[in-house]
Amino acid sequence: MWYFILGHDHEHSLAARQASRPAHLARLEALREAGRLKLAGPLPALDAEDPGPAGFTGSLIVAEFASLEEAKAWAEADPYVAAGVYARVEVRPFRPVLP
């Protein structure tokens, strides 16, 4: 089943986000290589492709997992969690319809 993972950044987390980004992306790449990643990306704090020092308010990931518990465990093991980037993480079932 597909799940969305919505990470909500702490304020002023840009430096921690940048430092832990390579490890975060490596985990996403592993999901992509396994054919289990539908989409992933950051949520800019401003209406701009590059928000600069304003940073990001969070991240959205849509990926396939065997269960909600597995999706939650994967989300909690994210380097952004360990680095203190995320203040909280939501994980919910997701049913793709379009496209």
Side-chain angles (χ1 to χ4, degrees):
M1 176 139 181
W2 293 95
Y3 297 88
F4 81 75
I5 299 168
L6 183 59
H8 300 269
D9 282 22
H10 282 285
E11 285 190 52
H12 312 294
S13 63
L14 184 58
R17 176 181 272 274
Q18 291 169 331
S20 54
R21 187 170 188 259
H24 172 77
L25 291 179
R27 294 180 82 234
L28 291 171
E29 184 62 29
L31 283 178
R32 188 190 68 77
E33 289 174 1
R36 296 173 44 208
L37 182 65
K38 187 166 266 312
L39 67 90
L43 306 173
L46 304 174
D47 186 13
E49 186 73 23
D50 179 359
F56 301 90
T57 61
S59 302
L60 175 66
I61 299 164
V62 178
E64 187 176 31
F65 295 94
S67 67
L68 179 58
E69 293 75 23
E70 183 182 311
K72 286 180 178 182
W74 188 92
E76 287 302 319
D78 193 292
Y80 281 177
V81 172
V85 173
Y86 292 154
R88 65 185 174 93
V89 179
E90 293 179 62
V91 181
R92 296 191 186 168
F94 178 78
R95 191 178 70 158
V97 175
L98 295 171

